[in-house]
PDB file of all heavy atoms in Angstrom:
ATOM      1  N   PHE A  61     -20.141   7.394  13.905  1.00  0.00           N
ATOM      2  CA  PHE A  61     -20.527   6.068  13.533  1.00  0.00           C
ATOM      3  C   PHE A  61     -20.260   5.120  14.719  1.00  0.00           C
ATOM      4  O   PHE A  61     -21.118   4.309  15.068  1.00  0.00           O
ATOM      5  CB  PHE A  61     -19.724   5.592  12.308  1.00  0.00           C
ATOM      6  CG  PHE A  61     -19.952   4.185  11.951  1.00  0.00           C
ATOM      7  CD1 PHE A  61     -21.124   3.757  11.345  1.00  0.00           C
ATOM      8  CD2 PHE A  61     -18.995   3.157  12.239  1.00  0.00           C
ATOM      9  CE1 PHE A  61     -21.319   2.429  11.021  1.00  0.00           C
ATOM     10  CE2 PHE A  61     -19.188   1.891  11.893  1.00  0.00           C
ATOM     11  CZ  PHE A  61     -20.352   1.473  11.264  1.00  0.00           C
ATOM     12  N   LEU A  62     -19.073   5.173  15.293  1.00  0.00           N
ATOM     13  CA  LEU A  62     -18.767   4.250  16.432  1.00  0.00           C
ATOM     14  C   LEU A  62     -19.676   4.515  17.637  1.00  0.00           C
ATOM     15  O   LEU A  62     -20.171   3.530  18.263  1.00  0.00           O
ATOM     16  CB  LEU A  62     -17.284   4.420  16.858  1.00  0.00           C
ATOM     17  CG  LEU A  62     -16.253   4.019  15.848  1.00  0.00           C
ATOM     18  CD1 LEU A  62     -14.821   4.310  16.344  1.00  0.00           C
ATOM     19  CD2 LEU A  62     -16.385   2.547  15.510  1.00  0.00           C
ATOM     20  N   ARG A  63     -20.037   5.719  17.906  1.00  0.00           N
ATOM     21  CA  ARG A  63     -20.910   6.046  18.992  1.00  0.00           C
ATOM     22  C   ARG A  63     -22.312   5.506  18.672  1.00  0.00           C
ATOM     23  O   ARG A  63     -22.990   4.946  19.532  1.00  0.00           O
ATOM     24  CB  ARG A  63     -20.992   7.559  19.239  1.00  0.00           C
ATOM     25  CG  ARG A  63     -21.743   7.991  20.452  1.00  0.00           C
ATOM     26  CD  ARG A  63     -21.741   9.479  20.755  1.00  0.00           C
ATOM     27  NE  ARG A  63     -20.425  10.027  20.643  1.00  0.00           N
ATOM     28  CZ  ARG A  63     -20.007  10.888  19.697  1.00  0.00           C
ATOM     29  NH1 ARG A  63     -20.857  11.272  18.770  1.00  0.00           N
ATOM     30  NH2 ARG A  63     -18.782  11.362  19.637  1.00  0.00           N
ATOM     31  N   ALA A  64     -22.717   5.665  17.440  1.00  0.00           N
ATOM     32  CA  ALA A  64     -24.073   5.164  17.024  1.00  0.00           C
ATOM     33  C   ALA A  64     -24.125   3.667  17.173  1.00  0.00           C
ATOM     34  O   ALA A  64     -25.177   3.121  17.595  1.00  0.00           O
ATOM     35  CB  ALA A  64     -24.391   5.606  15.563  1.00  0.00           C
ATOM     36  N   VAL A  65     -23.097   2.933  16.789  1.00  0.00           N
ATOM     37  CA  VAL A  65     -23.072   1.502  16.907  1.00  0.00           C
ATOM     38  C   VAL A  65     -23.142   1.137  18.378  1.00  0.00           C
ATOM     39  O   VAL A  65     -23.943   0.280  18.781  1.00  0.00           O
ATOM     40  CB  VAL A  65     -21.809   0.903  16.257  1.00  0.00           C
ATOM     41  CG1 VAL A  65     -21.602  -0.584  16.671  1.00  0.00           C
ATOM     42  CG2 VAL A  65     -21.859   1.057  14.753  1.00  0.00           C
ATOM     43  N   ALA A  66     -22.377   1.776  19.214  1.00  0.00           N
ATOM     44  CA  ALA A  66     -22.352   1.484  20.675  1.00  0.00           C
ATOM     45  C   ALA A  66     -23.722   1.745  21.303  1.00  0.00           C
ATOM     46  O   ALA A  66     -24.150   0.990  22.164  1.00  0.00           O
ATOM     47  CB  ALA A  66     -21.275   2.288  21.376  1.00  0.00           C
ATOM     48  N   GLU A  67     -24.384   2.793  20.848  1.00  0.00           N
ATOM     49  CA  GLU A  67     -25.680   3.174  21.463  1.00  0.00           C
ATOM     50  C   GLU A  67     -26.857   2.517  20.753  1.00  0.00           C
ATOM     51  O   GLU A  67     -27.994   2.770  21.071  1.00  0.00           O
ATOM     52  CB  GLU A  67     -25.829   4.717  21.395  1.00  0.00           C
ATOM     53  CG  GLU A  67     -24.816   5.394  22.262  1.00  0.00           C
ATOM     54  CD  GLU A  67     -24.856   6.903  22.094  1.00  0.00           C
ATOM     55  OE1 GLU A  67     -25.606   7.476  21.253  1.00  0.00           O
ATOM     56  OE2 GLU A  67     -24.086   7.588  22.835  1.00  0.00           O
ATOM     57  N   ASN A  68     -26.609   1.662  19.778  1.00  0.00           N
ATOM     58  CA  ASN A  68     -27.661   0.970  19.031  1.00  0.00           C
ATOM     59  C   ASN A  68     -28.611   1.992  18.341  1.00  0.00           C
ATOM     60  O   ASN A  68     -29.805   1.776  18.380  1.00  0.00           O
ATOM     61  CB  ASN A  68     -28.435  -0.023  19.942  1.00  0.00           C
ATOM     62  CG  ASN A  68     -29.145  -1.045  19.042  1.00  0.00           C
ATOM     63  OD1 ASN A  68     -28.868  -1.247  17.886  1.00  0.00           O
ATOM     64  ND2 ASN A  68     -30.074  -1.756  19.672  1.00  0.00           N
ATOM     65  N   ASP A  69     -28.042   3.020  17.764  1.00  0.00           N
ATOM     66  CA  ASP A  69     -28.834   4.041  17.075  1.00  0.00           C
ATOM     67  C   ASP A  69     -28.823   3.683  15.569  1.00  0.00           C
ATOM     68  O   ASP A  69     -27.947   4.171  14.824  1.00  0.00           O
ATOM     69  CB  ASP A  69     -28.239   5.411  17.338  1.00  0.00           C
ATOM     70  CG  ASP A  69     -29.043   6.533  16.692  1.00  0.00           C
ATOM     71  OD1 ASP A  69     -29.890   6.223  15.825  1.00  0.00           O
ATOM     72  OD2 ASP A  69     -28.756   7.714  17.039  1.00  0.00           O
ATOM     73  N   ALA A  70     -29.709   2.837  15.122  1.00  0.00           N
ATOM     74  CA  ALA A  70     -29.732   2.350  13.741  1.00  0.00           C
ATOM     75  C   ALA A  70     -29.809   3.449  12.713  1.00  0.00           C
ATOM     76  O   ALA A  70     -29.208   3.371  11.673  1.00  0.00           O
ATOM     77  CB  ALA A  70     -30.880   1.332  13.570  1.00  0.00           C
ATOM     78  N   ALA A  71     -30.663   4.457  13.004  1.00  0.00           N
ATOM     79  CA  ALA A  71     -30.779   5.583  12.056  1.00  0.00           C
ATOM     80  C   ALA A  71     -29.454   6.318  11.856  1.00  0.00           C
ATOM     81  O   ALA A  71     -29.096   6.614  10.717  1.00  0.00           O
ATOM     82  CB  ALA A  71     -31.867   6.549  12.562  1.00  0.00           C
ATOM     83  N   ALA A  72     -28.720   6.559  12.930  1.00  0.00           N
ATOM     84  CA  ALA A  72     -27.443   7.254  12.819  1.00  0.00           C
ATOM     85  C   ALA A  72     -26.428   6.390  12.099  1.00  0.00           C
ATOM     86  O   ALA A  72     -25.611   6.900  11.286  1.00  0.00           O
ATOM     87  CB  ALA A  72     -26.939   7.663  14.189  1.00  0.00           C
ATOM     88  N   VAL A  73     -26.435   5.084  12.339  1.00  0.00           N
ATOM     89  CA  VAL A  73     -25.550   4.156  11.649  1.00  0.00           C
ATOM     90  C   VAL A  73     -25.816   4.225  10.122  1.00  0.00           C
ATOM     91  O   VAL A  73     -24.962   4.391   9.285  1.00  0.00           O
ATOM     92  CB  VAL A  73     -25.622   2.736  12.161  1.00  0.00           C
ATOM     93  CG1 VAL A  73     -24.949   1.727  11.240  1.00  0.00           C
ATOM     94  CG2 VAL A  73     -25.103   2.599  13.550  1.00  0.00           C
ATOM     95  N   TRP A  74     -27.118   4.091   9.798  1.00  0.00           N
ATOM     96  CA  TRP A  74     -27.598   4.077   8.365  1.00  0.00           C
ATOM     97  C   TRP A  74     -27.163   5.357   7.675  1.00  0.00           C
ATOM     98  O   TRP A  74     -26.733   5.309   6.494  1.00  0.00           O
ATOM     99  CB  TRP A  74     -29.068   3.877   8.361  1.00  0.00           C
ATOM    100  CG  TRP A  74     -29.672   3.559   7.013  1.00  0.00           C
ATOM    101  CD1 TRP A  74     -30.409   4.405   6.237  1.00  0.00           C
ATOM    102  CD2 TRP A  74     -29.546   2.354   6.321  1.00  0.00           C
ATOM    103  NE1 TRP A  74     -30.756   3.775   5.063  1.00  0.00           N
ATOM    104  CE2 TRP A  74     -30.242   2.512   5.085  1.00  0.00           C
ATOM    105  CE3 TRP A  74     -28.923   1.133   6.567  1.00  0.00           C
ATOM    106  CZ2 TRP A  74     -30.342   1.479   4.144  1.00  0.00           C
ATOM    107  CZ3 TRP A  74     -29.037   0.130   5.625  1.00  0.00           C
ATOM    108  CH2 TRP A  74     -29.734   0.325   4.418  1.00  0.00           C
ATOM    109  N   GLU A  75     -27.278   6.515   8.318  1.00  0.00           N
ATOM    110  CA  GLU A  75     -26.934   7.785   7.729  1.00  0.00           C
ATOM    111  C   GLU A  75     -25.465   7.903   7.321  1.00  0.00           C
ATOM    112  O   GLU A  75     -25.110   8.626   6.445  1.00  0.00           O
ATOM    113  CB  GLU A  75     -27.266   8.946   8.706  1.00  0.00           C
ATOM    114  CG  GLU A  75     -28.754   9.121   8.946  1.00  0.00           C
ATOM    115  CD  GLU A  75     -29.378  10.083   7.979  1.00  0.00           C
ATOM    116  OE1 GLU A  75     -28.658  10.861   7.279  1.00  0.00           O
ATOM    117  OE2 GLU A  75     -30.620  10.107   7.883  1.00  0.00           O
ATOM    118  N   ARG A  76     -24.596   7.164   8.020  1.00  0.00           N
ATOM    119  CA  ARG A  76     -23.185   7.240   7.747  1.00  0.00           C
ATOM    120  C   ARG A  76     -22.687   6.231   6.700  1.00  0.00           C
ATOM    121  O   ARG A  76     -21.501   6.162   6.374  1.00  0.00           O
ATOM    122  CB  ARG A  76     -22.370   6.962   9.051  1.00  0.00           C
ATOM    123  CG  ARG A  76     -22.631   7.902  10.191  1.00  0.00           C
ATOM    124  CD  ARG A  76     -22.234   9.365  10.054  1.00  0.00           C
ATOM    125  NE  ARG A  76     -21.425   9.769   8.887  1.00  0.00           N
ATOM    126  CZ  ARG A  76     -21.711  10.893   8.127  1.00  0.00           C
ATOM    127  NH1 ARG A  76     -22.700  11.658   8.471  1.00  0.00           N
ATOM    128  NH2 ARG A  76     -20.971  11.162   7.144  1.00  0.00           N
ATOM    129  N   LEU A  77     -23.591   5.444   6.135  1.00  0.00           N
ATOM    130  CA  LEU A  77     -23.199   4.378   5.189  1.00  0.00           C
ATOM    131  C   LEU A  77     -23.348   4.816   3.732  1.00  0.00           C
ATOM    132  O   LEU A  77     -24.267   5.491   3.361  1.00  0.00           O
ATOM    133  CB  LEU A  77     -24.012   3.106   5.429  1.00  0.00           C
ATOM    134  CG  LEU A  77     -23.930   2.528   6.853  1.00  0.00           C
ATOM    135  CD1 LEU A  77     -24.906   1.334   6.944  1.00  0.00           C
ATOM    136  CD2 LEU A  77     -22.485   2.086   7.132  1.00  0.00           C
ATOM    137  N   SER A  78     -22.388   4.319   2.908  1.00  0.00           N
ATOM    138  CA  SER A  78     -22.468   4.611   1.450  1.00  0.00           C
ATOM    139  C   SER A  78     -23.650   3.872   0.826  1.00  0.00           C
ATOM    140  O   SER A  78     -24.238   2.977   1.386  1.00  0.00           O
ATOM    141  CB  SER A  78     -21.176   4.144   0.779  1.00  0.00           C
ATOM    142  OG  SER A  78     -21.112   2.711   0.758  1.00  0.00           O
ATOM    143  N   ARG A  79     -24.015   4.307  -0.339  1.00  0.00           N
ATOM    144  CA  ARG A  79     -25.182   3.716  -1.065  1.00  0.00           C
ATOM    145  C   ARG A  79     -24.883   2.252  -1.323  1.00  0.00           C
ATOM    146  O   ARG A  79     -25.788   1.389  -1.178  1.00  0.00           O
ATOM    147  CB  ARG A  79     -25.414   4.406  -2.431  1.00  0.00           C
ATOM    148  CG  ARG A  79     -26.141   5.739  -2.260  1.00  0.00           C
ATOM    149  CD  ARG A  79     -26.546   6.310  -3.611  1.00  0.00           C
ATOM    150  NE  ARG A  79     -25.470   6.468  -4.550  1.00  0.00           N
ATOM    151  CZ  ARG A  79     -24.773   7.588  -4.723  1.00  0.00           C
ATOM    152  NH1 ARG A  79     -25.127   8.680  -4.042  1.00  0.00           N
ATOM    153  NH2 ARG A  79     -23.803   7.685  -5.589  1.00  0.00           N
ATOM    154  N   GLU A  80     -23.647   1.930  -1.709  1.00  0.00           N
ATOM    155  CA  GLU A  80     -23.291   0.533  -1.969  1.00  0.00           C
ATOM    156  C   GLU A  80     -23.444  -0.315  -0.686  1.00  0.00           C
ATOM    157  O   GLU A  80     -23.997  -1.437  -0.722  1.00  0.00           O
ATOM    158  CB  GLU A  80     -21.863   0.398  -2.472  1.00  0.00           C
ATOM    159  CG  GLU A  80     -21.521  -1.013  -2.842  1.00  0.00           C
ATOM    160  CD  GLU A  80     -20.100  -1.137  -3.421  1.00  0.00           C
ATOM    161  OE1 GLU A  80     -19.617  -0.207  -4.041  1.00  0.00           O
ATOM    162  OE2 GLU A  80     -19.467  -2.202  -3.220  1.00  0.00           O
ATOM    163  N   THR A  81     -22.940   0.208   0.419  1.00  0.00           N
ATOM    164  CA  THR A  81     -23.061  -0.571   1.662  1.00  0.00           C
ATOM    165  C   THR A  81     -24.522  -0.732   2.096  1.00  0.00           C
ATOM    166  O   THR A  81     -24.918  -1.803   2.509  1.00  0.00           O
ATOM    167  CB  THR A  81     -22.272   0.159   2.768  1.00  0.00           C
ATOM    168  OG1 THR A  81     -20.878   0.232   2.336  1.00  0.00           O
ATOM    169  CG2 THR A  81     -22.371  -0.573   4.102  1.00  0.00           C
ATOM    170  N   ARG A  82     -25.339   0.321   1.875  1.00  0.00           N
ATOM    171  CA  ARG A  82     -26.750   0.183   2.234  1.00  0.00           C
ATOM    172  C   ARG A  82     -27.394  -0.872   1.346  1.00  0.00           C
ATOM    173  O   ARG A  82     -28.155  -1.686   1.823  1.00  0.00           O
ATOM    174  CB  ARG A  82     -27.442   1.525   1.995  1.00  0.00           C
ATOM    175  CG  ARG A  82     -27.104   2.587   2.989  1.00  0.00           C
ATOM    176  CD  ARG A  82     -27.865   3.839   2.644  1.00  0.00           C
ATOM    177  NE  ARG A  82     -27.470   4.939   3.588  1.00  0.00           N
ATOM    178  CZ  ARG A  82     -28.002   6.123   3.539  1.00  0.00           C
ATOM    179  NH1 ARG A  82     -28.885   6.446   2.598  1.00  0.00           N
ATOM    180  NH2 ARG A  82     -27.606   7.044   4.413  1.00  0.00           N
ATOM    181  N   GLY A  83     -27.057  -0.904   0.057  1.00  0.00           N
ATOM    182  CA  GLY A  83     -27.569  -1.915  -0.835  1.00  0.00           C
ATOM    183  C   GLY A  83     -27.183  -3.320  -0.474  1.00  0.00           C
ATOM    184  O   GLY A  83     -28.011  -4.245  -0.520  1.00  0.00           O
ATOM    185  N   LEU A  84     -25.934  -3.485  -0.015  1.00  0.00           N
ATOM    186  CA  LEU A  84     -25.485  -4.774   0.403  1.00  0.00           C
ATOM    187  C   LEU A  84     -26.276  -5.235   1.664  1.00  0.00           C
ATOM    188  O   LEU A  84     -26.687  -6.425   1.751  1.00  0.00           O
ATOM    189  CB  LEU A  84     -23.983  -4.750   0.777  1.00  0.00           C
ATOM    190  CG  LEU A  84     -23.052  -4.616  -0.464  1.00  0.00           C
ATOM    191  CD1 LEU A  84     -21.623  -4.355   0.017  1.00  0.00           C
ATOM    192  CD2 LEU A  84     -23.120  -5.863  -1.344  1.00  0.00           C
ATOM    193  N   LEU A  85     -26.506  -4.342   2.562  1.00  0.00           N
ATOM    194  CA  LEU A  85     -27.238  -4.719   3.813  1.00  0.00           C
ATOM    195  C   LEU A  85     -28.702  -4.953   3.499  1.00  0.00           C
ATOM    196  O   LEU A  85     -29.297  -5.925   4.071  1.00  0.00           O
ATOM    197  CB  LEU A  85     -27.108  -3.563   4.851  1.00  0.00           C
ATOM    198  CG  LEU A  85     -25.719  -3.418   5.455  1.00  0.00           C
ATOM    199  CD1 LEU A  85     -25.703  -2.192   6.375  1.00  0.00           C
ATOM    200  CD2 LEU A  85     -25.290  -4.677   6.187  1.00  0.00           C
ATOM    201  N   GLU A  86     -29.254  -4.265   2.552  1.00  0.00           N
ATOM    202  CA  GLU A  86     -30.662  -4.530   2.122  1.00  0.00           C
ATOM    203  C   GLU A  86     -30.746  -5.854   1.433  1.00  0.00           C
ATOM    204  O   GLU A  86     -31.715  -6.642   1.704  1.00  0.00           O
ATOM    205  CB  GLU A  86     -31.216  -3.445   1.220  1.00  0.00           C
ATOM    206  CG  GLU A  86     -31.433  -2.101   1.920  1.00  0.00           C
ATOM    207  CD  GLU A  86     -31.701  -0.937   1.005  1.00  0.00           C
ATOM    208  OE1 GLU A  86     -31.325  -0.956  -0.212  1.00  0.00           O
ATOM    209  OE2 GLU A  86     -32.384   0.008   1.469  1.00  0.00           O
ATOM    210  N   GLY A  87     -29.776  -6.214   0.649  1.00  0.00           N
ATOM    211  CA  GLY A  87     -29.722  -7.510  -0.012  1.00  0.00           C
ATOM    212  C   GLY A  87     -29.593  -8.652   1.015  1.00  0.00           C
ATOM    213  O   GLY A  87     -30.224  -9.695   0.908  1.00  0.00           O
TER     214      GLY A  87
END
Side-chain angles (χ1 to χ4, degrees):
F61 174 77
L62 294 175
R63 188 175 315 110
V65 169
E67 295 173 355
N68 198 17
D69 184 346
V73 169
W74 191 252
E75 291 270 344
R76 299 292 355 132
L77 300 176
S78 69
R79 284 189 303 265
E80 181 177 332
T81 300
R82 289 178 184 182
L84 290 169
L85 291 174
E86 288 171 336

